[in-house]
Amino acid sequence: MYRLFIVSLLVSLLVACTAPFGPAQIANNRQVYDDKVLYISHDYMISSGDQIEISYHIDVRKQDVYRIAVSDQVRIEFPHYPQFDRSLNVRPDGMITVPHLGDIEAFGFTPMELAAKIEEAYTPILRNPKCTVALVRYGESIRELKESIKTATRGQSRLALVQPDGRIAIPLIEPMRVAGMRVEEIQKEINDEYQKLVPGMFTSVTLINATGNRVYIMGAVKEPGYYQLQGPTTVTQAVAMAKGFMPNAVASDTLLITRDERNNAVGRLVDIENIFDTGNIGSDTLLRQADVIYVPTSRLGRAAIVGDTIRRLIPADLGLIYSVSESVNFIHSGD
């Protein structure tokens, strides 16, 4: 009991140094320390409530060839079969519909390549299926995109808020699920989607507001809740932000729930009592986004830190980051 009192006293002293910002009241009586400093680790994963900026860059240099894009209109003419002549719009799936044959893919082809493809398709049913393909209207996707972003106060860019379902809405493409992805992964996926619609256009993605850069502190601490990471933070510093232990806390069995390389939940026991007794800060552990700290009121056996116990301790709003498998691993303190 005396040892626990000393631990709580030291933690209380740390509070004065590590939590200079008063707690802001938020929903469900939880508290979060927050200032305007954006601290993001290299492996930060986008969360619901985050805001990203998508900047658009359109290559206006002369192209060696023009390839047909979605929303373009092409004119197909058959010198020997004028009844087959058509003006056709390229659909969002990249296809056009020609007489008697049905759908043919036009997206990504040059007009000459598309003409050769149509001639080949008609060969079984026409004696001399010679045709020409001309562009009637083109660049519609680029014009539509420019129109959708030209009113943005930030120039050729668009701010996107990650919705509770983990998706963002951006011009021309279907809502995209980005929660649980890193910024560079999102940029690649957005560019891949736009290349299907607007050849020569690419984007860059920047994280503007990271509300999901939090850790959760639960159990026998004085102020449980979630806290914004203000910089590199250890387990003991996080407990200090929560104003220290309750009198019945078992600090030696503090449970840290974190993620492995596949984002599966793993558990680690951190002996905070020993850290304070010995001064061995090397046994302390740096926290990552969405880590969960649980301080029990009784000792935890190994069986208590795998499987369902850990799954129940992971807050529901972390479901887009954690990928909880049937087997939850235990990490030894020395690992």
Side-chain angles (χ1 to χ4, degrees):
M1 182 64 68
Y2 175 74
R3 178 181 295 175
L4 185 59
F5 170 77
I6 295 297
V7 171
S8 295
L9 178 62
L10 290 173
V11 169
S12 298
L13 290 174
L14 280 174
V15 169
C17 300
T18 61
F21 304 99
Q25 295 296 325
I26 59 175
N28 301 324
N29 295 319
R30 294 183 294 182
Q31 295 176 321
V32 57
Y33 289 89
D34 195 7
D35 64 11
K36 301 304 179 184
V37 179
L38 185 64
Y39 163 72
I40 300 295
S41 63
H42 72 281
D43 59 350
Y44 181 79
M45 301 175 70
I46 296 297
S47 304
S48 298
D50 288 353
Q51 190 175 47
I52 62 176
E53 180 179 27
I54 303 158
S55 300
Y56 293 84
H57 314 278
I58 299 175
D59 189 354
V60 296
R61 295 173 298 178
K62 179 181 177 181
Q63 301 179 25
D64 294 334
V65 295
Y66 181 83
R67 297 193 175 275
I68 296 168
V70 170
S71 298
D72 286 355
Q73 187 179 77
V74 296
R75 176 71 179 175
I76 302 174
E77 295 184 349
F78 296 81
H80 302 290
Y81 304 93
Q83 68 273 24
F84 286 179
D85 294 354
R86 296 288 190 280
S87 292
L88 302 170
N89 293 321
V90 182
R91 304 195 308 254
D93 61 0
M95 310 294 280
I96 57 174
T97 302
V98 297
H100 300 292
L101 292 180
D103 290 348
I104 289 181
E105 185 174 9
F107 177 86
F109 293 96
T110 67
M112 291 186 64
E113 289 171 345
L114 180 58
K117 186 175 182 179
I118 293 173
E119 290 174 4
E120 182 181 359
Y122 273 111
T123 297
I125 62 174
L126 297 179
R127 183 175 179 181
N128 185 8
K130 181 70 175 177
C131 80
T132 61
V133 174
L135 287 165
V136 177
R137 188 180 67 242
Y138 55 92
E140 287 297 305
S141 295
I142 292 178
R143 282 190 284 273
E144 184 178 346
L145 179 60
K146 286 183 175 180
E147 182 69 23
S148 67
I149 64 176
K150 73 176 184 179
T151 57
T153 58
R154 304 173 72 89
Q156 296 289 306
S157 68
R158 172 64 63 90
L159 291 178
L161 180 68
V162 184
Q163 300 299 316
D165 64 356
R167 299 177 186 272
I168 57 171
I170 53 180
L172 298 189
I173 62 179
E174 292 294 322
M176 178 183 297
R177 187 179 185 277
V178 298
M181 299 172 63
R182 296 175 177 83
V183 169
E184 58 270 20
E185 295 171 335
I186 296 171
Q187 179 173 297
K188 181 181 184 306
E189 186 161 331
I190 290 176
N191 284 333
D192 288 346
E193 289 300 314
Y194 273 129
Q195 281 301 311
K196 300 174 184 176
L197 302 173
V198 189
M201 198 281 297
F202 64 97
T203 68
S204 56
V205 176
T206 306
L207 179 61
I208 299 297
N209 188 20
T211 62
N213 198 30
R214 302 166 175 163
V215 293
Y216 290 67
I217 308 173
M218 307 165 63
V221 292
K222 293 180 180 176
E223 293 187 357
Y226 59 77
Y227 292 80
Q228 291 292 125
L229 291 173
Q230 306 296 336
T233 304
T234 66
V235 174
T236 55
Q237 290 171 331
V239 171
M241 290 192 295
K243 298 296 179 67
F245 298 113
M246 297 292 288
N248 59 342
V250 180
S252 61
D253 273 28
T254 298
L255 174 62
L256 170 64
I257 302 171
T258 186
R259 293 170 285 119
D260 63 14
E261 64 278 3
R262 294 184 177 87
N263 296 321
N264 290 319
V266 293
R268 178 199 298 268
L269 287 179
V270 180
D271 190 345
I272 296 182
E273 186 173 351
N274 179 262
I275 292 172
F276 280 107
D277 281 348
T278 64
N280 181 16
I281 60 175
S283 299
D284 209 350
T285 303
L286 280 172
L287 297 172
R288 302 166 60 206
Q289 169 204 12
D291 280 357
V292 178
I293 298 169
Y294 173 69
V295 180
T297 56
S298 60
R299 295 193 65 86
L300 295 175
R302 177 166 176 170
I305 57 176
V306 295
D308 289 339
T309 300
I310 284 184
R311 279 191 280 269
R312 286 196 299 267
L313 288 173
I314 297 174
D317 55 353
L318 295 182
L320 295 173
I321 292 181
Y322 276 87
S323 176
V324 182
S325 64
E326 291 300 319
S327 175
V328 181
N329 294 325
F330 167 66
I331 302 176
H332 294 280
S333 298
D335 290 351

